[in-house]
Amino acid sequence: MRYLKLTIAYDGTDFYGWQIQTGKPTIQGEIVAILRRLTQQNIAIHGSGRTDAGVHALGQVASFRTQTALSTEELRRALNALLPPTIRINAVEETGPDFNARWSARAKTYRYRLYRGRVVPPMIWRYVLHYPFPLDEDKMREAATRFVGNHDFAAFAASTGSEDDDQERSTVREVYATELARSADNEELVFTVRGRSFLRYMVRKMVGTLLDVGRGRLAPEDIEKLYESKDRSKSGPTVPAQGLCMMSVEHEEAFRVE
């Protein structure tokens, strides 16, 4: 048995997220279908995170087991030849049996792009949220620093749809670092966050809250009050998916095969 790791990039616009859904195009579904064709085996893959509909990735990671004799490079080339051009396999690597793309992950980095110019260039409209209106970016930067650390992010998470499940799940997460900075061309305001793991919609709610700070509806010190309240209705809106991209996933290095 062989254990393989995929590093994947995709444009999430035309997909219903990462996870397989009956009758709907998903990233996981597309990759699994091609792997089964190539290996003639009932392949199951595990992703490092379940990105939602419309969310993009440059560094999603998935793992699977196979008995195929195809080399890692042959698999990479065959997958890219058969997958739609909106999904690319950047690398295929051998791993050990203890590696799991989800459970071996130690950090994930996400980026959200706000386009601040008057007119969005057509080649990037799928990947940014257009917000040309006035914002107090200094206060937004101050607020962004308050996400760093171990906090209860219940006010920044979507409901599971079940009141019982909402009460039972842990909403405490550790954020390692944040940055809110202008892009090199000064046209975009980019929020980057690195953390151990994230709740559903958490990054998009964080960005929505930063926008409320920039608009003067919230103050930077209100972030601590939101942790205490655990009330989703008091934080900012969930911003649209298209501005969000999973940039990279960091794993334990012990899995590597020499």
Side-chain angles (χ1 to χ4, degrees):
M1 186 66 69
R2 297 168 66 195
Y3 303 86
L4 299 179
K5 170 191 173 187
L6 303 177
T7 304
I8 310 159
Y10 48 84
D11 178 335
T13 307
D14 300 326
F15 298 95
Y16 286 80
W18 165 264
Q19 191 173 12
I20 289 176
Q21 299 180 51
T22 303
K24 295 180 178 179
T26 68
I27 310 297
Q28 186 183 36
E30 295 282 343
I31 296 172
V32 165
I34 300 303
L35 280 174
R36 289 176 178 176
R37 282 176 58 186
L38 291 172
T39 65
Q40 296 299 297
Q41 297 164 21
N42 188 25
I43 299 291
I45 67 173
H46 305 279
S48 62
R50 298 175 180 177
T51 54
D52 293 308
V55 175
H56 316 292
L58 289 176
Q60 170 72 284
V61 173
S63 56
F64 66 99
R65 300 184 300 170
T66 181
Q67 293 177 323
T68 184
L70 292 170
S71 71
T72 55
E73 180 58 18
E74 287 171 333
L75 270 174
R76 187 190 66 81
R77 290 170 60 188
L79 281 163
N80 284 334
L82 297 172
L83 283 166
T86 46
I87 304 175
R88 295 293 86 184
I89 307 302
N90 290 331
V92 182
E93 301 172 72
E94 299 275 358
T95 73
D98 294 332
F99 179 77
N100 180 286
R102 181 179 179 187
W103 303 117
S104 301
R106 291 297 172 262
K108 298 174 186 175
T109 299
Y110 286 89
R111 180 183 70 185
Y112 197 94
R113 298 167 62 187
L114 295 163
Y115 192 80
R116 303 287 286 129
R118 252 182 3 109
V119 179
V120 179
M123 66 285 298
I124 67 168
W125 72 270
R126 289 173 176 254
Y127 313 111
V128 299
L129 171 63
H130 189 205
Y131 198 89
F133 311 108
L135 289 171
D136 188 329
E137 295 183 13
D138 288 337
K139 285 188 177 179
M140 292 173 70
R141 289 187 185 91
E142 181 186 345
T145 65
R146 295 172 184 256
F147 290 132
V148 176
N150 258 303
H151 304 290
D152 189 332
F153 283 93
F156 300 89
S159 170
T160 62
S162 164
E163 194 170 317
D164 290 338
D165 288 348
D166 282 348
Q167 290 176 349
E168 290 177 5
R169 68 172 175 167
S170 172
T171 50
V172 175
R173 294 291 186 274
E174 183 177 6
V175 170
Y176 300 140
T178 61
E179 181 185 56
L180 187 68
R182 282 280 184 156
S183 59
D185 62 8
N186 206 42
E187 293 291 335
E188 295 182 26
L189 187 61
V190 182
F191 177 63
T192 305
V193 57
R194 177 175 174 267
R196 176 70 175 80
S197 63
F198 296 87
L199 299 162
R200 191 180 186 195
Y201 294 167
M202 178 173 153
V203 178
R204 290 162 62 189
K205 286 281 277 183
M206 291 164 77
V207 174
T209 301
L210 291 178
L211 282 172
D212 270 1
V213 171
R215 291 184 283 235
R217 297 176 184 173
L218 292 170
E221 54 269 24
D222 287 331
I223 302 299
E224 282 77 11
K225 297 175 185 177
L226 290 170
Y227 295 142
E228 295 172 6
S229 75
K230 303 183 182 181
D231 187 344
R232 292 187 297 273
S233 69
K234 294 182 178 179
S235 60
T238 303
V239 293
Q242 79 264 17
L244 185 61
C245 182
M246 176 188 280
M247 301 300 293
S248 63
V249 184
E250 301 163 46
H251 292 88
E252 293 284 2
E253 293 298 305
F255 73 86
R256 294 193 179 279
V257 176
E258 297 298 335

